[in-house]
Amino acid sequence: MTDITLSSISSVNALSGVAPLTLPSAWAAQVESQLFAEEKVLAWLETDLDTQLHFSSGLVIVTNRALLASPGAAQEGAAWRRWVFQPGLRLIHHDYSGVGSLELVDADLRLACWRYTLGGDIAVAHLIEHFTEQLDYQLTGEPPQPSVDIVCPRCQRIPDAPLLPGEEACVACRREIHVSPSTWTLFRLWRFAKPYQWRLLTGFLLTLGSTAATLVPPYMTMPLMDNVLIPYQNGKPIDTALVTFYLTGLLGAAFVAWGLGWTRTYMLARVSERIGADLRTATYEHLLKLSHAYFGGKRTGDLMARIGSETDRLNVFLSLHLLDFATDVLMMVMTIIILVSIDPWLALVTLMPLPVIAWLIHLVRDRLRTGFEKVDRVWAEVTSVLADTIPGIRVVKAFAQEKREAARFRAANDRNLEVNDRVNKVWSVFTPTVTLLTEVGLLVVWVFGIWQVSKDQITVGVLTAFLAYISRFYLRLDSMSRIVSFTQKAAAGTKRIFEILDHVSSVPEPVHPVHLPVVKGRIELCGVGFRYGTRSVTRDISITIEPGEMIGLVGHSGSGKSTLVNLICRFYDVTEGAILLDGVDIRSLPVAEYRKHIGLVLQEPFLFFGTIAENIAYGKLDAKREEVVAAARAAHAHEFILRLPHGYDSLVGERGQALSGGERQRISIARALLIDPRILILDEATSSVDTTTEKEIQRALENLVRGRTTIAIAHRLSTLRDANRLIVLDRGSVIETGNHAQLMAQEGHYYGLYQAQARNVDTEDDLRRPDIDRKTEDGRE
């Protein structure tokens, strides 16, 4: 939708200093017709939901005189309403589960209510701000303080929190701003190299020795040329003993260089592999400790690429390229020392191309570093497509979407190709340029060396040795310049790995942990509230669950049932209030120790690739076969397990695909039974199976819940009739509590939900809150 600036709606308020305002073009003519002379629009909200939560367009406007609203569609003749500023008027904002609500109230009477999706939260905040300012101004005569809304330069939106001095973007954009990895990032790997510091020191000394040994042959060429070959050309006989001495020295130096080089290569390769393995293990272990919130914002393929290919790349860099880099640096430093000791002027001419090559390396390094990180991100996209498609191949084939998935992969692969082409373009210019400079440098040495020989300033042997050294020097310089590519790849990979290692879990371990010797299973929720970002999901929930009591959580989708379970399991931490276990805040308990007391049976049970026995014993690895069988019997799984070809040793396939849904569910129940938890969470445990299978699972659940504190979620309310209490949730709050008979007698929210299920009709209308939806816009019943 295009936006236009209205000529008659100049939103430059002399009192507030608000920047020029634009309105959606569909509303321009209507808004212009509703304004009085000198009336100016200060803020607006385009709503996208009606009171029945159906998608519908509307507009709410704050001017310097009143609040205006059009509840209908953006068309001519829509009924506009106007509320002039007067004492008692208030705008109240609520948000829950993807839906925001803005209410205009007067004392205790609600005058109007508008609904919108949470994309309008920022507009609502500014609408309320300007409404409050103008209301105060109209009532008190005190003008609002001048303020200017600073727009984020990246997203061109007004941020929720004002930009602070020095901040170049809002919080949301700063999360996305790409920061190029620095080569210094590689030094952070010392944390993993420190345990092997003595081996690394030994490897460095071996590198020093092997490099020195490789520099001996050129030095030996000087006496061979000056004392043997040139005198022989002048008629003197060859001194056999002298020749034997020099050649023996050359052979000995070669063997020493080979032995030291082999030892250092093998030793440092072993060390680098161990550093890489430790890095991979530490990253994976840290990843497992992160909260659900972290995984919700990451793609599986990207995380797999970081732990897999990035650590492999670092292994190669540490074992090969870093070793070559160290050798090259030592070779160049020692060569420079030898050249200067032989002839300083010739050495100076030899090193002339070095500053130019260093400048080129610096120029190309940043481009390569940025390019290689882009390559990493694009490659993660390719991996993510595979991680999405292969596990979901059944859905792909069921909906005949092979061509679509192939197109997705081709598009990701093409982006990968495009980014690599840009990097290769830079590299293809850099490498030949360095080679050209080294060739020119070698030519300059020839010219200057011949001139010095002609002036009898140096001998032919010295020039020959110089040429041998300079050839090796430039060869190492060329090799060193090529290592720039691998260094920047490693820096990019290191940054992506440390992005995981630096991430702090939103569910931290307690600083001073409390250990419960015996867990009874009493759970208290004290004023629990939870916000996901800016969205309120649950608010002010207070429930006490006695040990051994079974409660059922009831409510429509999005009412907060699963969120409450996630908070009890401490997959997320509450943002308000506290959850207590036997009187102790669960945030004071070690996370793993606390969760060992919880058995979780999910709607979609997840089985790992392996045998049935291994999946049942997942929570208790030392369980004996007799315990596994006993748990399977209690879960009513023993019979179908015995019918499988290998019984308890039968493979379940990837994610348990070899079993039916009911069989997978009973395996998950057996898995929960085996650990004998004090607290049991049943999250829609029977919602995805047929009636016959449901009855079998219900019999298994009867064994599971006996004597345990149980929290059950079920859309089929008939499965919760035996619960001690039912907690009815709506929009993140508790609205009814009682057993089945009590709630049916009240004929409230639960009654309507139960009756709707009994009639097997759509319950969408019955699930709305009567205290809101039965009211008209002026607040009357």
Side-chain angles (χ1 to χ4, degrees):
M1 179 181 293
T2 58
D3 292 347
I4 64 171
T5 302
L6 302 177
S7 59
S8 64
I9 308 180
S10 171
S11 56
V12 182
N13 192 326
L15 299 175
S16 61
V18 180
L21 187 69
T22 59
L23 284 174
S25 57
W27 294 100
Q30 292 192 58
V31 172
E32 197 165 6
S33 66
Q34 298 297 321
L35 298 180
F36 295 122
E38 303 300 325
E39 188 171 12
K40 302 169 184 177
V41 175
L42 304 178
W44 58 271
L45 164 69
E46 188 175 22
T47 61
D48 50 6
L49 298 173
D50 61 16
T51 56
Q52 308 299 317
L53 300 185
H54 298 145
F55 286 105
S56 178
S57 179
L59 194 69
V60 184
I61 298 173
V62 171
T63 73
N64 57 339
R65 293 189 177 184
L67 177 74
L68 287 79
S70 171
Q75 57 186 4
E76 291 294 333
W80 283 80
R81 302 195 64 189
R82 172 184 288 265
W83 292 271
V84 179
F85 297 118
Q86 59 183 359
L89 280 182
R90 288 184 301 150
L91 280 177
I92 302 175
H93 170 232
H94 302 286
D95 63 80
Y96 169 67
S97 192
V99 175
S101 174
L102 183 66
E103 296 180 356
L104 177 66
V105 299
D106 181 4
D108 296 327
L109 189 65
R110 189 182 66 179
L111 303 178
C113 179
W114 301 277
R115 307 286 177 83
Y116 60 92
T117 55
L118 291 186
D121 260 359
I122 295 177
V124 168
H126 287 276
L127 189 82
I128 295 176
E129 177 186 357
H130 287 288
F131 176 86
T132 305
E133 287 180 353
Q134 292 303 314
L135 181 63
D136 292 342
Y137 173 60
Q138 296 293 337
L139 299 180
T140 65
E142 295 182 4
Q145 294 296 324
S147 62
V148 179
D149 291 325
I150 302 177
V151 177
C152 172
R154 287 179 61 85
C155 63
Q156 297 300 312
R157 294 180 180 177
I158 300 173
D160 294 328
L163 295 181
L164 299 177
E167 292 182 345
E168 299 179 356
C170 62
V171 175
C173 290
R174 287 202 301 271
R175 291 177 186 147
E176 300 174 0
I177 292 177
H178 167 63
V179 179
S180 297
S182 170
T183 308
W184 294 102
T185 306
L186 292 171
F187 286 95
R188 299 189 66 184
L189 294 174
W190 175 249
R191 161 184 164 187
F192 298 93
K194 190 174 181 180
Y196 310 99
Q197 55 185 344
W198 296 112
R199 298 187 195 180
L200 291 172
L201 179 60
T202 304
F204 175 77
L205 294 176
L206 291 172
T207 302
L208 189 64
S210 63
T211 303
T214 57
L215 292 175
V216 171
Y219 202 87
M220 303 285 287
T221 58
M222 287 191 296
L224 273 174
M225 292 291 294
D226 294 336
N227 301 333
V228 176
L229 296 180
I230 293 179
Y232 174 75
Q233 287 185 336
N234 294 331
K236 292 184 179 180
I238 293 179
D239 188 342
T240 305
L242 189 60
V243 171
T244 303
F245 173 76
Y246 289 142
L247 294 181
T248 303
L250 290 173
L251 182 62
F255 273 107
V256 170
W258 172 81
L260 294 177
W262 178 86
T263 305
R264 70 91 197 262
T265 301
Y266 179 72
M267 177 180 291
L268 294 180
R270 285 175 58 86
V271 171
S272 66
E273 288 295 334
R274 279 153 182 75
I275 293 174
D278 292 345
L279 177 63
R280 190 181 298 114
T281 301
T283 306
Y284 182 65
E285 288 178 351
H286 184 76
L287 192 65
L288 292 178
K289 295 177 183 178
L290 297 179
S291 65
H292 278 213
Y294 178 82
F295 292 95
K298 299 294 181 181
R299 300 188 68 176
T300 303
D302 178 57
L303 296 177
M304 291 173 61
R306 295 190 193 202
I307 297 177
S309 60
E310 299 297 356
T311 52
D312 284 343
R313 178 182 295 174
L314 285 176
N315 274 350
V316 173
F317 173 76
L318 294 173
S319 60
L320 296 179
H321 306 304
L322 184 59
L323 180 61
D324 291 341
F325 178 78
T327 304
D328 293 342
V329 171
L330 287 174
M331 176 73 76
M332 292 174 62
V333 171
M334 297 172 73
T335 301
I336 291 174
I337 294 174
I338 294 173
L339 293 179
V340 172
S341 66
I342 294 174
D343 189 287
W345 288 107
L346 190 56
L348 181 63
V349 173
T350 301
L351 301 177
M352 282 178 58
L354 192 59
V356 180
I357 295 176
W359 176 78
L360 280 176
I361 291 175
H362 174 73
L363 185 67
V364 171
R365 183 186 59 187
D366 291 337
R367 296 185 181 181
L368 289 178
R369 182 172 58 234
T370 304
F372 285 131
E373 191 176 8
K374 289 181 180 178
V375 169
D376 290 340
R377 292 201 304 270
V378 173
W379 180 248
E381 291 181 15
V382 176
T383 310
S384 296
V385 173
L386 296 175
D388 290 343
T389 306
I390 294 176
I393 192 64
R394 190 174 183 179
V395 177
V396 173
K397 291 185 174 296
F399 288 90
Q401 293 298 310
E402 291 91 344
K403 291 184 178 179
R404 175 176 176 270
E405 295 301 331
R408 281 183 62 206
F409 184 83
R410 188 180 300 108
N413 205 25
D414 288 344
R415 286 194 295 272
N416 177 59
L417 187 63
E418 179 183 351
V419 173
N420 274 282
D421 283 345
R422 288 200 293 267
V423 174
N424 292 332
K425 182 179 180 180
V426 175
W427 186 245
S428 62
V429 174
F430 172 70
T431 306
T433 303
V434 172
T435 303
L436 175 63
L437 289 174
T438 57
E439 294 294 336
V440 171
L442 188 61
L443 180 62
V444 171
V445 172
W446 269 108
V447 173
F448 190 73
I450 292 173
W451 178 81
Q452 282 190 309
V453 170
S454 67
K455 298 294 183 178
D456 293 327
Q457 295 179 0
I458 63 172
T459 64
V460 174
V462 171
L463 178 59
T464 304
F466 248 93
L467 292 173
Y469 277 121
I470 201 60
S471 297
R472 297 191 179 201
F473 179 85
Y474 283 141
L475 181 64
R476 292 296 182 177
L477 187 61
D478 186 61
S479 173
M480 191 175 176
S481 66
R482 296 175 188 274
I483 292 175
V484 172
S485 169
F486 302 110
T487 303
Q488 301 316 312
K489 286 182 180 180
T494 303
K495 175 179 176 290
R496 284 168 52 79
I497 290 175
F498 275 95
E499 282 177 354
I500 297 177
L501 293 173
D502 292 340
H503 192 88
V504 179
S505 175
S506 59
V507 181
E509 291 284 353
V511 178
H512 303 291
V514 177
H515 303 280
L516 292 176
V518 178
V519 175
K520 298 178 180 178
R522 188 174 193 268
I523 301 174
E524 299 173 75
L525 283 75
C526 308
V528 167
F530 178 71
R531 298 183 67 86
Y532 191 83
T534 60
R535 178 164 58 92
S536 176
V537 182
T538 61
R539 58 177 69 87
D540 195 25
I541 295 180
S542 297
I543 304 171
T544 299
I545 309 171
E546 298 297 335
E549 185 182 14
M550 177 180 180
I551 71 164
L553 299 180
V554 179
H556 61 79
S557 296
S559 60
K561 303 186 300 296
S562 294
T563 298
L564 209 56
V565 165
N566 288 333
L567 293 175
I568 293 174
C569 292
R570 214 187 165 205
F571 294 149
Y572 302 94
D573 270 344
V574 298
T575 52
E576 299 171 7
I579 299 176
L580 309 181
L581 174 63
D582 295 343
V584 178
D585 193 322
I586 62 173
R587 288 171 291 191
S588 301
L589 303 174
V591 177
E593 183 177 312
Y594 168 67
R595 288 179 183 159
K596 284 183 178 179
H597 300 294
I598 299 177
L600 187 61
V601 180
L602 299 172
Q603 177 181 1
E604 292 293 336
F606 187 94
L607 300 185
F608 295 92
F609 185 85
T611 66
I612 288 179
E614 290 170 346
N615 274 278
I616 294 177
Y618 185 76
K620 188 179 180 182
L621 300 179
D622 58 347
K624 298 178 181 179
R625 179 56 64 95
E626 293 78 10
E627 296 177 275
V628 172
V629 173
R633 285 182 181 276
H636 292 266
H638 182 68
E639 291 76 12
F640 84 78
I641 292 175
L642 292 182
R643 290 195 296 268
L644 297 174
H646 302 288
Y648 283 86
D649 295 321
S650 299
L651 294 174
V652 299
E654 187 76 18
R655 302 191 180 186
Q657 294 299 320
L659 304 177
S660 68
E663 290 170 343
R664 290 197 299 271
Q665 191 63 280
R666 278 175 280 175
I667 293 295
S668 70
I669 294 173
R671 182 166 57 193
L673 272 166
L674 186 61
I675 65 173
D676 192 22
R678 294 303 307 152
I679 303 168
L680 181 64
I681 308 290
L682 305 176
D683 191 355
E684 305 286 357
T686 63
S687 64
S688 59
V689 296
D690 58 82
T691 305
T692 303
T693 305
E694 179 185 358
K695 292 179 179 179
E696 295 178 356
I697 294 176
Q698 284 293 345
R699 288 197 297 270
L701 291 176
E702 290 174 3
N703 294 328
L704 184 58
V705 303
R706 192 175 295 119
R708 295 180 172 88
T709 303
T710 304
I711 303 170
I713 299 176
H715 279 303
R716 298 179 186 175
L717 301 183
S718 59
T719 63
L720 298 177
R721 297 186 62 173
D722 295 331
N724 301 105
R725 275 186 300 156
L726 298 176
I727 309 296
V728 183
L729 298 172
D730 185 43
R731 307 189 185 195
S733 300
V734 176
I735 59 173
E736 293 177 357
T737 303
N739 59 34
H740 173 75
Q742 293 170 340
L743 294 179
M744 290 296 289
Q746 292 178 13
E747 296 189 4
H749 191 93
Y750 177 82
Y751 176 83
L753 181 60
Y754 190 88
Q755 291 297 323
Q757 284 197 5
R759 293 193 305 268
N760 194 26
V761 298
D762 185 5
T763 63
E764 190 71 20
D765 294 332
D766 298 278
L767 296 181
R768 294 194 303 270
R769 284 170 53 186
D771 59 330
I772 289 182
D773 297 317
R774 293 177 185 174
K775 291 182 180 179
T776 60
E777 282 192 2
D778 61 1
R780 294 172 297 179
E781 296 290 342

